[in-house]
């Protein structure tokens, strides 16, 4: 398959395109000359992350979305707009059902009304729940254990039903741990509050935090700390382009994992970050965080077989080097 085969036709409406993974995907689309429109309510995204056409709208606002579809006439949609904190979803499920499930319903209705038929969206390995098998195949049973994971599964089911009933074409991409940053150093991961391991570890390297707290060291893993499959945000973005191009060529459904198949423990990651940054990175072992499975590693083969996708930027050192460049630049500009 050539790059042209893997390049979707525009215009593409990217909802949540001012956020972490969305903004990187928009960069890739723009680099291939695909016309994009970003729609984002900036609840967690950054206006500065968007260089092209921007609409500050809420996808839950049907009238505003109807206007966006009428004005820009997108051929297809890539949907990143969602809340993504497992812990917060346990404390405030209402927000997750409203913003992830209800807002997605509104988006799908606006798409139907506009005759827009293709959508690629961010699902998650959190839809699987506790692994019954590691590495986890694309066919792993989906029994989510958090409201966050359940809302992502509802979104998958909604889109499958719309595909069956209304001829929509849909791709659910189940990410493992999104990580890394644009090699230019001007786009990266900046959540507020930050809860993810890599940005926190790099904040320690920058002296912005005294130490990293390691959540548990008595898991059933070789060093006792949790193992995750970290996937570079540029590799995630590339998979979205491929999935959308495939839907546009007539494929009606795609559901697949996006991970590398390699797992690293929290302690291994800290060690790699010490090497990449040249800073000592002190840590302290504390109790486990509720709901953290010991090992999450992708065993999926569909992304390669169906999308021709392979992770190219996702060695742990490359992920850390790109994230480090971004964090250094951010801290110098702050
Ligand atoms: N961790 C620490 N200390 C910290 C932060 C994290 O030890 O300060 C550990 C966690 O316990 C976990 C690992 O580092 O073992 C990675 O944690 P992250 O918070 O970076 O990522 P998660 O694996 O919890 O979450 C990711 C996505 C979620 C998704 C989830 C699926 O960010 O959106 O995977 O399980 F839901």
């Amino acid at each position: 398959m050539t790059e042209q085969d893997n390049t979707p036709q525009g215009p593409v409406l990217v909802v949540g395109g001012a956020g972490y993974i969305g903004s990187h995907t928009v960069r890739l689309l723009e680099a291939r000359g695909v016309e994009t429109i970003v729609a984002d309510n900036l609840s967690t995204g950054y206006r500065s992350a968007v260089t092209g056409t921007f609409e500050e709208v809420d996808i839950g606002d049907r009238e505003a979305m109807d206007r966006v579809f009428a004005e820009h006439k997108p051929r297809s949609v890539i949907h990143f707009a969602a809340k993504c904190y497992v812990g917060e979803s346990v404390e405030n499920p209402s927000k997750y059902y409203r913003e992830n499930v209800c807002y997605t319903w509104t988006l799908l209705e606006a798409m139907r009304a506009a005759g827009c038929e293709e959508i690629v969206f961010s699902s998650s390995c959190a839809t699987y729940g506790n692994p019954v098998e590691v590495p986890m195949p694309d066919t792993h049973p989906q029994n989510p254990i958090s409201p966050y994971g359940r809302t992502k599964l509802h979104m998958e089911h909604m889109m499958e039903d719309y595909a069956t009933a209304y001829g929509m074409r849909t791709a659910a991409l189940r990410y493992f741990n999104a990580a890394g940053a644009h090699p230019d150093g001007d786009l990266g991961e900046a959540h507020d509050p930050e809860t993810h391991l890599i940005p926190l570890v790099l904040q320690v390297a920058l002296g912005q935090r005294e130490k990293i707290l390691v959540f548990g060291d008595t898991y059933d893993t070789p060093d006792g700390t949790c193992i995750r499959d970290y996937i570079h945000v540029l590799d995630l973005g590339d998979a979205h382009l491929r999935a959308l191009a495939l839907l546009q060529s007539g494929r009606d459904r795609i559901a697949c994992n996006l991970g590398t198949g390699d797992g690293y423990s929290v302690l291994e990651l800290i060690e790699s970050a010490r090497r990449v940054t040249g800073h000592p990175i002190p840590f302290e072992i504390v109790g486990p965080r509720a709901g953290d499975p010991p090992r999450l590693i992708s065993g999926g083969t569909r992304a390669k077989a169906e999308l021709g996708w392979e992770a190219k930027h996702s060695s742990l050192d490359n992920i850390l080097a790109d994230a480090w460049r971004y964090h250094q630049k951010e801290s110098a500009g702050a």
Side-chain angles (χ1 to χ4, degrees):
M1 250 190 278
T2 65
E3 187 173 270
Q4 207 175 356
D5 296 329
N6 295 321
T7 301
Q9 286 171 20
V12 178
L13 176 64
V14 184
V15 294
Y20 173 43
I21 306 167
S23 61
H24 285 80
T25 305
V26 170
R27 252 330 147 80
L28 293 178
L29 286 164
E30 286 174 344
R32 303 257 192 102
V34 181
E35 187 185 342
T36 63
I37 307 101
V38 168
D40 199 301
N41 64 6
L42 300 181
S43 62
T44 51
Y46 296 92
R47 179 66 186 87
S48 58
V50 184
T51 49
T53 307
F54 177 65
E55 291 279 1
E56 185 173 345
V57 292
D58 208 304
I59 60 162
D61 180 344
R62 176 64 195 275
E63 266 178 43
M65 292 309 290
D66 283 347
R67 183 189 58 74
V68 168
F69 277 99
E71 207 164 297
H72 300 284
K73 300 187 175 44
R75 150 101 201 234
S76 316
V77 171
I78 307 184
H79 176 21
F80 295 100
K83 298 295 158 210
C84 68
Y85 293 115
V86 174
E88 183 187 53
S89 78
V90 176
E91 281 156 28
N92 190 2
S94 167
K95 179 175 177 179
Y96 281 71
Y97 283 96
R98 184 180 68 245
E99 298 198 23
N100 291 1
V101 180
C102 298
Y103 284 15
T104 296
W105 175 77
T106 309
L107 172 66
L108 294 177
E109 288 299 297
M111 286 178 66
R112 275 180 72 201
C116 183
E117 293 186 329
E118 296 124 3
I119 180 166
V120 177
F121 92 102
S122 320
S123 189
S124 170
C125 66
T127 60
Y128 293 133
N130 284 323
V132 295
E133 182 184 347
V134 181
M136 303 167 82
D138 307 284
T139 50
H140 190 285
Q142 289 180 292
N143 293 309
I145 54 169
S146 68
Y148 167 72
R150 278 193 275 272
T151 62
K152 287 281 170 175
L153 188 55
H154 282 306
M155 291 159 78
E156 284 200 17
H157 287 161
M158 224 191 306
M159 289 189 208
E160 277 168 31
D161 291 339
Y162 274 55
T164 305
Y166 309 126
M168 240 179 213
R169 296 193 289 284
T170 70
L173 304 182
R174 300 181 190 136
Y175 313 158
F176 281 67
N177 283 55
H182 199 281
D184 288 352
D186 59 349
L187 280 181
E189 186 173 12
H191 296 105
D192 184 20
E194 190 53 79
T195 62
H196 293 104
L197 181 64
I198 292 179
L200 291 174
V201 161
L202 297 179
Q203 287 172 10
V204 176
L206 282 166
Q208 295 170 344
R209 278 173 199 271
E210 192 193 331
K211 61 190 170 191
I212 182 82
L213 301 179
V214 174
F215 298 145
D217 70 347
T218 55
Y219 287 98
D220 184 16
T221 60
D223 67 19
T225 65
C226 286
I227 292 176
R228 294 288 179 271
D229 180 340
Y230 295 92
I231 175 84
H232 198 294
V233 63
L234 285 184
D235 285 327
L236 291 179
D238 176 46
H240 290 72
L241 270 59
R242 289 168 183 268
L244 185 54
L246 194 57
L247 294 180
Q248 289 183 348
S249 73
R251 178 68 181 272
D252 61 349
R253 282 173 224 209
I254 301 162
C256 64
N257 289 350
L258 294 179
T260 63
D262 294 321
Y264 295 94
S265 74
V266 176
L267 293 182
E268 284 173 327
L269 190 141
I270 294 171
E271 198 46 50
S272 300
R274 286 176 173 152
R275 198 176 54 249
V276 168
T277 66
H279 289 272
I281 313 186
F283 68 83
E284 181 187 334
I285 307 283
V286 295
R289 185 170 70 176
D292 273 342
R295 292 201 309 149
L296 292 174
I297 301 172
S298 173
T301 53
R302 281 187 194 160
K304 180 157 197 234
E306 299 182 12
L307 307 180
W309 174 86
E310 271 178 308
K312 294 201 179 92
H313 304 274
S314 295
S315 73
L316 190 56
D317 278 16
N318 191 53
I319 284 175
L320 288 168
D322 284 345
W324 179 232
R325 194 176 305 110
Y326 167 74
H327 282 275
Q328 282 177 297
K329 206 164 162 179
E330 275 295 290
S331 126

